[in-house]
Amino acid sequence: MEFLWSLIVGGIIGWLAGMIVGRDVPFGIIGNIIAGFIGAWLGSLILGDWGPVVGNFAIIPALIGAIVLVFVLSLIFKSMRKAS
């Protein structure tokens, strides 16, 4: 049950990051979950584990990390579209 809760929270974090950046995360729901997990990992690496924890995610660093990830991915995909 804890794994399912982590998937849900990771998806919500990825979705929120996409909404804040103003870009859709590629691959829909799966992309949101992946962005949430990678963003949480990046955020905790850079900022540590502080703030409220939900579903094993420190929400504030996870959201900041996911925002950075979605922004960088959107720049990469944008430059790939222009190149082709």
Side-chain angles (χ1 to χ4, degrees):
M1 187 66 167
E2 187 173 325
F3 179 71
L4 179 63
W5 186 243
S6 293
L7 287 176
I8 292 169
V9 173
I12 291 171
I13 289 171
W15 174 74
L16 282 173
M19 295 294 287
I20 291 169
V21 173
R23 307 268 189 225
D24 286 335
V25 177
F27 310 114
I29 294 171
I30 302 296
N32 284 335
I33 293 170
I34 293 170
F37 272 86
I38 295 174
W41 176 72
L42 285 173
S44 66
L45 248 154
I46 296 168
L47 302 171
D49 292 330
W50 54 274
V53 176
V54 177
N56 294 329
F57 290 99
I59 297 298
I60 297 170
L63 186 57
I64 293 170
I67 289 169
V68 169
L69 178 70
V70 169
F71 181 73
V72 169
L73 284 177
S74 70
L75 290 177
I76 291 170
F77 281 118
K78 185 177 181 181
S79 68
M80 286 175 55
R81 273 185 259 139
K82 285 184 179 181
S84 44

